[in-house]
């Protein structure tokens, strides 16, 4: 069975500082990995995804994530935080290429301080 | 850019009442899903739907829940007799044969 853990339910960074949101997963097969962002009172927006190929994937809004199989991790980073990045971030894993339900992590709330 | 839409955005109902949450998936998508997010908790899978039938469902999706694709565009989630613990944000999602699911903005359901 798949599972996702996100270390740190709440992360605070200063504007301009590095953002690092951690995600670790367990999966019995090579996983498909996703990061979604949820702004207050809004739905889930896809930030980026890893399926196959290059392990460093770039997404929207300057975010990127690196799939590290040996560490079963898919941490999300952004070099310089912006106030507009304040939101809830969810890591998700899927074990099939289609039609498979996602298993979401518990989420990390990112606060950006001026 | 095509997007998943959901109606209503908010729904308040009395315990024991039936509710129907509506979704319009992206038009060329073949797979449809419902998830829920209880306030302050993580997003949980409810059910997936393909080729006019349920393909997977979670333990949460008991006999009180049902899904339907009544026409070529809508995808609905019905809760027959709502309970207080059904209060949550309900998200619809859809995907092509590919892996990425696109989520709607959600319906916030409050059961009193």
């Amino acid at each position: 069975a798949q599972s996702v853990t996100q270390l740190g339910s709440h992360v605070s960074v200063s504007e301009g500082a590095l953002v690092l949101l951690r995600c670790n997963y367990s999966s019995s097969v090579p996983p498909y990995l996703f990061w979604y962002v949820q702004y207050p009172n809004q739905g889930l927006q896809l930030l980026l995804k890893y399926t196959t190929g290059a392990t460093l994937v770039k997404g929207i809004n300057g975010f990127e994530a690196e799939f590290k199989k040996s560490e079963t991790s898919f941490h999300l980073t952004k070099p310089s935080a912006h106030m507009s990045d304040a939101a809830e971030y969810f890591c998700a894993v899927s074990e099939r290429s289609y039609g498979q339900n996602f298993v979401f992590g518990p989420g990390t709330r990112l606060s950006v301080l001026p | 850019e095509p997007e998943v839409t959901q109606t209503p955005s908010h729904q308040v109902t009395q315990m024991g009442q039936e509710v129907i949450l509506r979704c319009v998936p992206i038009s060329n998508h073949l797979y449809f899903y419902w998830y829920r997010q209880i306030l302050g908790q993580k997003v949980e899978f409810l059910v997936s739907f393909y080729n006019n039938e349920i393909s997977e469902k979670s333990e949460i999706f008991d006999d009180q829940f049902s899904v339907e694709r009544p026409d070529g565009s809508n995808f609905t989630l019905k809760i027959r007799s709502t309970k207080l613990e059904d209060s949550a944000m309900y998200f619809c999602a859809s995907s092509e044969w590919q892996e990425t699911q696109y989520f709607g903005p959600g319906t916030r359901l409050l059961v009193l």
Side-chain angles (χ1 to χ4, degrees), chain A residues 32 34 36 38 41-44 46 49 51 90 96-102 104-106, chain B residues 31 33 35 37 41-43 45 48 56 91 95-101 103-105 108:
Chain A
Y32 297 85
F34 306 80
Y36 283 85
Q38 185 180 31
N41 300 314
Q42 294 189 27
L44 297 165
L46 179 67
K49 63 182 180 182
T51 54
F90 293 93
R96 285 209 304 263
S97 62
Y98 60 89
Q100 170 69 16
N101 58 288
F102 285 0
F104 282 87
Chain B
Y31 296 87
Y33 314 82
Y35 292 78
Q37 183 184 29
Q41 298 186 24
K42 66 180 180 180
V43 180
F45 168 74
S48 60
E56 288 183 273
F91 292 106
S95 67
E96 292 180 278
W97 60 270
Q98 295 166 336
E99 68 288 330
T100 304
Q101 294 181 23
F103 287 78
R108 184 168 294 285

Short mmCIF file of all heavy atoms in Angstrom, two decimals, chain A residues 32 34 36 38 41-44 46 49 51 90 96-102 104-106, chain B residues 31 33 35 37 41-43 45 48 56 91 95-101 103-105 108:
data_model
loop_
_atom_site.label_atom_id
_atom_site.label_comp_id
_atom_site.label_asym_id
_atom_site.label_seq_id
_atom_site.Cartn_x
_atom_site.Cartn_y
_atom_site.Cartn_z
N TYR A 32 4.34 7.35 -9.28
CA TYR A 32 4.17 8.64 -9.90
C TYR A 32 3.96 9.63 -8.75
O TYR A 32 3.18 9.36 -7.84
CB TYR A 32 2.97 8.64 -10.84
CG TYR A 32 3.13 7.68 -11.99
CD1 TYR A 32 2.80 6.33 -11.86
CD2 TYR A 32 3.63 8.12 -13.21
CE1 TYR A 32 2.96 5.45 -12.90
CE2 TYR A 32 3.79 7.23 -14.27
CZ TYR A 32 3.46 5.90 -14.11
OH TYR A 32 3.63 5.03 -15.15
N PHE A 34 3.50 13.70 -7.22
CA PHE A 34 2.89 14.98 -7.55
C PHE A 34 3.00 15.94 -6.36
O PHE A 34 3.01 15.51 -5.20
CB PHE A 34 1.40 14.81 -7.88
CG PHE A 34 1.12 13.80 -8.95
CD1 PHE A 34 1.10 12.45 -8.68
CD2 PHE A 34 0.87 14.23 -10.25
CE1 PHE A 34 0.85 11.51 -9.69
CE2 PHE A 34 0.61 13.31 -11.25
CZ PHE A 34 0.61 11.95 -10.97
N TYR A 36 0.77 19.32 -5.19
CA TYR A 36 -0.36 20.21 -5.43
C TYR A 36 -0.30 21.35 -4.40
O TYR A 36 0.15 21.16 -3.28
CB TYR A 36 -1.69 19.48 -5.26
CG TYR A 36 -2.07 18.58 -6.43
CD1 TYR A 36 -1.59 17.28 -6.53
CD2 TYR A 36 -2.90 19.06 -7.44
CE1 TYR A 36 -1.94 16.48 -7.60
CE2 TYR A 36 -3.26 18.26 -8.51
CZ TYR A 36 -2.78 16.97 -8.58
OH TYR A 36 -3.13 16.18 -9.64
N GLN A 38 -2.69 24.40 -2.52
CA GLN A 38 -4.05 24.84 -2.22
C GLN A 38 -3.98 26.20 -1.56
O GLN A 38 -3.54 26.33 -0.41
CB GLN A 38 -4.74 23.83 -1.31
CG GLN A 38 -6.20 24.14 -1.03
CD GLN A 38 -6.85 23.12 -0.12
OE1 GLN A 38 -6.21 22.53 0.74
NE2 GLN A 38 -8.13 22.90 -0.31
N ASN A 41 -9.21 28.77 0.64
CA ASN A 41 -10.56 28.70 0.09
C ASN A 41 -10.59 28.38 -1.40
O ASN A 41 -11.55 28.73 -2.09
CB ASN A 41 -11.33 30.00 0.35
CG ASN A 41 -11.46 30.29 1.83
OD1 ASN A 41 -11.80 29.41 2.62
ND2 ASN A 41 -11.14 31.51 2.23
N GLN A 42 -9.58 27.72 -1.87
CA GLN A 42 -9.54 27.33 -3.28
C GLN A 42 -9.29 25.83 -3.41
O GLN A 42 -9.07 25.13 -2.43
CB GLN A 42 -8.46 28.12 -4.02
CG GLN A 42 -8.75 29.61 -4.10
CD GLN A 42 -7.78 30.32 -5.02
OE1 GLN A 42 -7.24 29.74 -5.96
NE2 GLN A 42 -7.58 31.60 -4.77
N GLY A 43 -9.34 25.35 -4.64
CA GLY A 43 -9.11 23.93 -4.91
C GLY A 43 -7.63 23.60 -5.00
O GLY A 43 -6.77 24.39 -4.61
N LEU A 44 -7.34 22.42 -5.52
CA LEU A 44 -5.98 21.93 -5.62
C LEU A 44 -5.43 22.22 -7.01
O LEU A 44 -6.03 21.84 -8.02
CB LEU A 44 -5.95 20.43 -5.37
CG LEU A 44 -6.41 19.99 -3.98
CD1 LEU A 44 -6.70 18.50 -3.95
CD2 LEU A 44 -5.36 20.34 -2.95
N LEU A 46 -2.19 21.77 -9.60
CA LEU A 46 -0.99 20.97 -9.84
C LEU A 46 0.23 21.89 -9.96
O LEU A 46 0.24 22.81 -10.79
CB LEU A 46 -1.15 20.14 -11.10
CG LEU A 46 0.05 19.27 -11.49
CD1 LEU A 46 0.27 18.16 -10.47
CD2 LEU A 46 -0.14 18.68 -12.88
N LYS A 49 4.96 17.35 -11.44
CA LYS A 49 4.79 15.91 -11.32
C LYS A 49 6.04 15.20 -11.82
O LYS A 49 6.78 15.71 -12.67
CB LYS A 49 3.59 15.44 -12.13
CG LYS A 49 3.74 15.70 -13.63
CD LYS A 49 2.51 15.27 -14.40
CE LYS A 49 2.69 15.55 -15.89
NZ LYS A 49 1.47 15.19 -16.68
N THR A 51 6.90 11.44 -13.45
CA THR A 51 6.38 10.16 -13.94
C THR A 51 7.54 9.26 -14.31
O THR A 51 7.79 8.23 -13.69
CB THR A 51 5.43 10.36 -15.11
OG1 THR A 51 6.09 11.13 -16.13
CG2 THR A 51 4.18 11.12 -14.67
N PHE A 90 0.50 19.93 -0.82
CA PHE A 90 0.25 18.51 -0.65
C PHE A 90 1.09 17.70 -1.63
O PHE A 90 1.08 17.96 -2.83
CB PHE A 90 -1.22 18.18 -0.90
CG PHE A 90 -2.16 18.75 0.12
CD1 PHE A 90 -2.76 19.98 -0.08
CD2 PHE A 90 -2.45 18.07 1.29
CE1 PHE A 90 -3.64 20.52 0.86
CE2 PHE A 90 -3.32 18.61 2.24
CZ PHE A 90 -3.91 19.83 2.01
N ARG A 96 -0.17 3.89 -10.50
CA ARG A 96 -0.46 3.52 -11.89
C ARG A 96 -0.38 4.75 -12.75
O ARG A 96 -0.50 5.87 -12.27
CB ARG A 96 -1.84 2.88 -12.02
CG ARG A 96 -1.94 1.48 -11.51
CD ARG A 96 -3.02 0.70 -12.26
NE ARG A 96 -4.31 1.33 -12.21
CZ ARG A 96 -5.27 0.99 -11.35
NH1 ARG A 96 -5.03 0.07 -10.45
NH2 ARG A 96 -6.43 1.57 -11.38
N SER A 97 -0.30 4.52 -14.03
CA SER A 97 -0.18 5.65 -14.93
C SER A 97 -1.52 6.29 -15.23
O SER A 97 -1.59 7.38 -15.73
CB SER A 97 0.48 5.23 -16.25
OG SER A 97 -0.33 4.25 -16.90
N TYR A 98 -2.60 5.61 -14.92
CA TYR A 98 -3.91 6.20 -15.19
C TYR A 98 -4.95 5.58 -14.29
O TYR A 98 -4.82 4.45 -13.83
CB TYR A 98 -4.30 6.00 -16.66
CG TYR A 98 -4.39 4.56 -17.08
CD1 TYR A 98 -5.57 3.85 -16.96
CD2 TYR A 98 -3.28 3.90 -17.59
CE1 TYR A 98 -5.66 2.53 -17.34
CE2 TYR A 98 -3.36 2.58 -17.97
CZ TYR A 98 -4.54 1.90 -17.84
OH TYR A 98 -4.61 0.59 -18.21
N GLY A 99 -5.97 6.34 -14.06
CA GLY A 99 -7.14 5.82 -13.36
C GLY A 99 -6.91 5.42 -11.93
O GLY A 99 -7.77 4.83 -11.30
N GLN A 100 -5.80 5.74 -11.40
CA GLN A 100 -5.47 5.32 -10.04
C GLN A 100 -5.72 6.46 -9.08
O GLN A 100 -5.36 7.58 -9.34
CB GLN A 100 -4.01 4.90 -9.94
CG GLN A 100 -3.48 4.68 -8.54
CD GLN A 100 -4.08 3.46 -7.86
OE1 GLN A 100 -4.65 2.62 -8.53
NE2 GLN A 100 -3.98 3.37 -6.55
N ASN A 101 -6.35 6.12 -7.96
CA ASN A 101 -6.55 7.16 -6.97
C ASN A 101 -5.22 7.60 -6.39
O ASN A 101 -4.28 6.83 -6.27
CB ASN A 101 -7.46 6.66 -5.85
CG ASN A 101 -6.89 5.42 -5.19
OD1 ASN A 101 -6.88 4.35 -5.77
ND2 ASN A 101 -6.40 5.58 -3.98
N PHE A 102 -5.17 8.86 -6.04
CA PHE A 102 -4.01 9.42 -5.38
C PHE A 102 -4.08 9.17 -3.90
O PHE A 102 -5.16 9.17 -3.30
CB PHE A 102 -3.96 10.93 -5.60
CG PHE A 102 -3.53 11.36 -6.96
CD1 PHE A 102 -3.21 10.46 -7.95
CD2 PHE A 102 -3.44 12.70 -7.26
CE1 PHE A 102 -2.82 10.87 -9.21
CE2 PHE A 102 -3.04 13.13 -8.52
CZ PHE A 102 -2.74 12.22 -9.49
N PHE A 104 -2.72 11.14 -0.73
CA PHE A 104 -2.15 12.44 -0.40
C PHE A 104 -1.43 12.40 0.95
O PHE A 104 -1.82 11.66 1.85
CB PHE A 104 -3.26 13.50 -0.32
CG PHE A 104 -3.73 13.99 -1.65
CD1 PHE A 104 -4.73 13.33 -2.34
CD2 PHE A 104 -3.18 15.13 -2.22
CE1 PHE A 104 -5.17 13.78 -3.58
CE2 PHE A 104 -3.61 15.59 -3.45
CZ PHE A 104 -4.61 14.91 -4.13
N GLY A 105 -0.42 13.22 1.07
CA GLY A 105 0.19 13.45 2.36
C GLY A 105 -0.68 14.40 3.17
O GLY A 105 -1.66 14.94 2.67
N PRO A 106 -0.33 14.60 4.42
CA PRO A 106 -1.15 15.43 5.31
C PRO A 106 -1.07 16.91 5.02
O PRO A 106 -1.89 17.68 5.54
CB PRO A 106 -0.58 15.12 6.70
CG PRO A 106 0.83 14.71 6.43
CD PRO A 106 0.82 14.00 5.12
N TYR B 31 -11.57 9.56 -16.99
CA TYR B 31 -11.59 9.08 -15.62
C TYR B 31 -12.06 10.20 -14.72
O TYR B 31 -11.64 11.35 -14.87
CB TYR B 31 -10.19 8.63 -15.17
CG TYR B 31 -9.66 7.46 -15.94
CD1 TYR B 31 -8.96 7.64 -17.13
CD2 TYR B 31 -9.85 6.16 -15.49
CE1 TYR B 31 -8.48 6.57 -17.84
CE2 TYR B 31 -9.36 5.08 -16.19
CZ TYR B 31 -8.67 5.29 -17.37
OH TYR B 31 -8.20 4.22 -18.07
N TYR B 33 -13.19 11.33 -10.54
CA TYR B 33 -12.89 10.99 -9.15
C TYR B 33 -13.61 11.96 -8.22
O TYR B 33 -13.89 13.10 -8.56
CB TYR B 33 -11.39 11.14 -8.87
CG TYR B 33 -10.47 10.54 -9.90
CD1 TYR B 33 -10.18 11.23 -11.07
CD2 TYR B 33 -9.90 9.29 -9.71
CE1 TYR B 33 -9.33 10.69 -12.03
CE2 TYR B 33 -9.04 8.74 -10.66
CZ TYR B 33 -8.77 9.46 -11.81
OH TYR B 33 -7.94 8.91 -12.76
N TYR B 35 -12.94 13.21 -4.14
CA TYR B 35 -12.13 13.21 -2.93
C TYR B 35 -12.84 14.10 -1.92
O TYR B 35 -13.66 14.95 -2.27
CB TYR B 35 -10.74 13.80 -3.19
CG TYR B 35 -9.83 12.99 -4.09
CD1 TYR B 35 -9.99 13.00 -5.47
CD2 TYR B 35 -8.81 12.23 -3.55
CE1 TYR B 35 -9.15 12.26 -6.29
CE2 TYR B 35 -7.95 11.49 -4.36
CZ TYR B 35 -8.13 11.52 -5.72
OH TYR B 35 -7.29 10.79 -6.53
N GLN B 37 -12.07 16.44 1.87
CA GLN B 37 -11.09 16.98 2.81
C GLN B 37 -11.84 17.55 4.00
O GLN B 37 -12.46 18.61 3.90
CB GLN B 37 -10.24 18.07 2.13
CG GLN B 37 -9.14 18.62 3.02
CD GLN B 37 -8.39 19.76 2.34
OE1 GLN B 37 -8.93 20.48 1.52
NE2 GLN B 37 -7.12 19.93 2.69
N GLN B 41 -7.72 18.49 7.75
CA GLN B 41 -7.15 17.16 7.53
C GLN B 41 -6.72 17.00 6.07
O GLN B 41 -6.87 17.91 5.27
CB GLN B 41 -8.18 16.09 7.92
CG GLN B 41 -8.57 16.14 9.39
CD GLN B 41 -9.46 14.99 9.78
OE1 GLN B 41 -9.46 13.93 9.15
NE2 GLN B 41 -10.24 15.18 10.84
N LYS B 42 -6.17 15.84 5.77
CA LYS B 42 -5.66 15.65 4.42
C LYS B 42 -6.77 15.26 3.46
O LYS B 42 -7.88 14.90 3.85
CB LYS B 42 -4.55 14.60 4.41
CG LYS B 42 -5.00 13.20 4.74
CD LYS B 42 -3.80 12.26 4.68
CE LYS B 42 -4.19 10.84 5.00
NZ LYS B 42 -3.03 9.93 4.94
N VAL B 43 -6.45 15.35 2.20
CA VAL B 43 -7.39 14.98 1.15
C VAL B 43 -7.48 13.46 1.08
O VAL B 43 -6.47 12.76 1.02
CB VAL B 43 -6.91 15.55 -0.21
CG1 VAL B 43 -7.88 15.16 -1.31
CG2 VAL B 43 -6.75 17.06 -0.13
N PHE B 45 -9.27 9.99 -0.77
CA PHE B 45 -9.93 9.43 -1.95
C PHE B 45 -11.26 8.81 -1.56
O PHE B 45 -11.37 8.11 -0.56
CB PHE B 45 -9.01 8.38 -2.57
CG PHE B 45 -9.65 7.53 -3.62
CD1 PHE B 45 -9.93 8.05 -4.88
CD2 PHE B 45 -9.99 6.21 -3.36
CE1 PHE B 45 -10.51 7.25 -5.86
CE2 PHE B 45 -10.57 5.42 -4.32
CZ PHE B 45 -10.83 5.93 -5.59
N SER B 48 -13.41 6.36 -7.79
CA SER B 48 -13.04 6.65 -9.17
C SER B 48 -14.05 5.98 -10.10
O SER B 48 -14.66 4.96 -9.75
CB SER B 48 -11.62 6.20 -9.50
OG SER B 48 -11.49 4.80 -9.32
N GLU B 56 -12.85 2.05 -8.61
CA GLU B 56 -12.32 1.84 -7.27
C GLU B 56 -13.08 2.70 -6.28
O GLU B 56 -13.59 3.75 -6.64
CB GLU B 56 -10.83 2.23 -7.20
CG GLU B 56 -9.89 1.29 -7.91
CD GLU B 56 -8.46 1.71 -7.74
OE1 GLU B 56 -7.99 2.52 -8.55
OE2 GLU B 56 -7.81 1.22 -6.81
N PHE B 91 -13.97 17.45 -3.43
CA PHE B 91 -13.31 17.78 -4.68
C PHE B 91 -13.61 16.74 -5.74
O PHE B 91 -13.52 15.54 -5.50
CB PHE B 91 -11.79 17.85 -4.51
CG PHE B 91 -11.30 18.98 -3.65
CD1 PHE B 91 -10.84 18.73 -2.37
CD2 PHE B 91 -11.31 20.29 -4.12
CE1 PHE B 91 -10.38 19.76 -1.57
CE2 PHE B 91 -10.85 21.33 -3.33
CZ PHE B 91 -10.39 21.07 -2.06
N SER B 95 -9.24 12.97 -15.32
CA SER B 95 -7.98 12.75 -16.03
C SER B 95 -8.25 12.04 -17.35
O SER B 95 -9.26 11.35 -17.51
CB SER B 95 -7.00 11.94 -15.18
OG SER B 95 -7.48 10.62 -14.99
N GLU B 96 -7.34 12.26 -18.27
CA GLU B 96 -7.35 11.47 -19.51
C GLU B 96 -6.81 10.08 -19.20
O GLU B 96 -6.78 9.67 -18.08
CB GLU B 96 -6.46 12.14 -20.54
CG GLU B 96 -6.95 13.46 -21.08
CD GLU B 96 -5.97 14.01 -22.11
OE1 GLU B 96 -4.97 14.62 -21.70
OE2 GLU B 96 -6.23 13.82 -23.31
N TRP B 97 -6.35 9.39 -20.17
CA TRP B 97 -5.69 8.12 -19.90
C TRP B 97 -4.36 8.35 -19.20
O TRP B 97 -3.80 7.47 -18.59
CB TRP B 97 -5.46 7.35 -21.20
CG TRP B 97 -4.62 8.08 -22.20
CD1 TRP B 97 -5.07 8.92 -23.15
CD2 TRP B 97 -3.20 8.04 -22.33
NE1 TRP B 97 -4.01 9.42 -23.88
CE2 TRP B 97 -2.86 8.90 -23.42
CE3 TRP B 97 -2.18 7.37 -21.65
CZ2 TRP B 97 -1.53 9.08 -23.82
CZ3 TRP B 97 -0.87 7.55 -22.06
CH2 TRP B 97 -0.56 8.41 -23.13
N GLN B 98 -3.88 9.60 -19.26
CA GLN B 98 -2.62 9.92 -18.60
C GLN B 98 -2.82 10.03 -17.10
O GLN B 98 -3.91 9.93 -16.59
CB GLN B 98 -2.07 11.23 -19.17
CG GLN B 98 -1.70 11.12 -20.62
CD GLN B 98 -1.49 12.47 -21.26
OE1 GLN B 98 -2.01 13.46 -20.80
NE2 GLN B 98 -0.72 12.51 -22.32
N GLU B 99 -1.73 10.29 -16.40
CA GLU B 99 -1.75 10.14 -14.96
C GLU B 99 -2.22 11.36 -14.21
O GLU B 99 -2.59 11.27 -13.05
CB GLU B 99 -0.35 9.77 -14.48
CG GLU B 99 0.70 10.87 -14.63
CD GLU B 99 1.11 11.12 -16.07
OE1 GLU B 99 1.07 10.18 -16.88
OE2 GLU B 99 1.47 12.28 -16.38
N THR B 100 -2.18 12.51 -14.81
CA THR B 100 -2.43 13.73 -14.06
C THR B 100 -3.91 13.97 -13.83
O THR B 100 -4.69 13.99 -14.78
CB THR B 100 -1.81 14.94 -14.77
OG1 THR B 100 -0.43 14.68 -14.98
CG2 THR B 100 -2.00 16.20 -13.96
N GLN B 101 -4.28 14.17 -12.58
CA GLN B 101 -5.65 14.50 -12.26
C GLN B 101 -5.78 16.01 -12.07
O GLN B 101 -4.94 16.63 -11.42
CB GLN B 101 -6.08 13.78 -10.97
CG GLN B 101 -6.12 12.27 -11.13
CD GLN B 101 -6.56 11.56 -9.88
OE1 GLN B 101 -7.23 12.12 -9.02
NE2 GLN B 101 -6.20 10.29 -9.76
N PHE B 103 -8.13 18.99 -10.60
CA PHE B 103 -9.14 19.13 -9.57
C PHE B 103 -10.01 20.35 -9.78
O PHE B 103 -9.54 21.39 -10.25
CB PHE B 103 -8.47 19.22 -8.20
CG PHE B 103 -7.91 17.92 -7.71
CD1 PHE B 103 -6.72 17.42 -8.20
CD2 PHE B 103 -8.60 17.17 -6.77
CE1 PHE B 103 -6.21 16.21 -7.77
CE2 PHE B 103 -8.10 15.95 -6.32
CZ PHE B 103 -6.90 15.47 -6.83
N GLY B 104 -11.25 20.22 -9.38
CA GLY B 104 -12.15 21.36 -9.35
C GLY B 104 -11.93 22.18 -8.10
O GLY B 104 -11.13 21.80 -7.23
N PRO B 105 -12.67 23.29 -7.96
CA PRO B 105 -12.48 24.19 -6.82
C PRO B 105 -13.10 23.68 -5.53
O PRO B 105 -12.84 24.22 -4.46
CB PRO B 105 -13.16 25.48 -7.29
CG PRO B 105 -14.19 25.01 -8.26
CD PRO B 105 -13.61 23.82 -8.95
N ARG B 108 -17.99 23.06 -0.53
CA ARG B 108 -17.92 22.94 0.92
C ARG B 108 -19.29 22.56 1.44
O ARG B 108 -20.25 23.32 1.30
CB ARG B 108 -17.46 24.25 1.55
CG ARG B 108 -17.27 24.13 3.06
CD ARG B 108 -16.55 25.33 3.67
NE ARG B 108 -15.19 25.47 3.23
CZ ARG B 108 -14.18 24.74 3.64
NH1 ARG B 108 -14.38 23.78 4.53
NH2 ARG B 108 -12.95 24.96 3.20
#
